[in-house]
């Protein structure tokens, strides 16, 4: 088992483009069945400071990795 957490920030403003910024909190867990098979689950919560609209998505991501 692995547990992970990450905080990231993204600045979307460039010159005359006012994109605002986004802060993201990510939490995840990985389960290694064996050296070839891994299950991953991540949950991400975004906090945007854009003026137009409410665009603070929450994302659940599930992945299965098999290497051969």
């Amino acid at each position: 088992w692995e547990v992970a957490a990450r905080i990231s920030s993204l600045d979307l403003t460039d010159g005359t483009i006012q994109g605002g910024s986004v802060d993201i909190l990510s939490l995840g867990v990985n389960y290694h069945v064996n050296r070839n098979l891994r299950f991953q689950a991540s949950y991400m919560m975004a906090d945007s400071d854009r003026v137009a609209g409410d665009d603070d998505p929450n994302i659940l991501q599930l992945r299965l990795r098999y290497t051969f």
Side-chain angles (χ1 to χ4, degrees):
W1 287 92
E2 292 177 331
V3 178
R6 177 175 71 185
I7 298 174
S8 57
S9 182
L10 177 62
D11 183 5
L12 300 170
T13 300
D14 184 27
T16 59
I17 299 172
Q18 297 299 313
S21 65
V22 179
D23 296 319
I24 302 170
L25 172 63
S26 303
L27 304 170
V29 63
N30 297 330
Y31 174 61
H32 298 264
V33 177
N34 55 41
R35 66 185 284 195
N36 297 330
L37 181 62
R38 176 171 70 184
F39 294 99
Q40 297 174 266
S42 297
Y43 186 70
M44 293 164 266
M45 297 167 280
D47 181 27
S48 171
D49 69 354
R50 286 191 64 190
V51 177
D54 181 23
D55 56 349
D56 295 340
N58 293 327
I59 302 162
L60 176 63
Q61 179 182 25
L62 302 172
R63 295 172 58 182
L64 168 68
R65 187 184 95 174
Y66 179 75
T67 56
F68 53 93

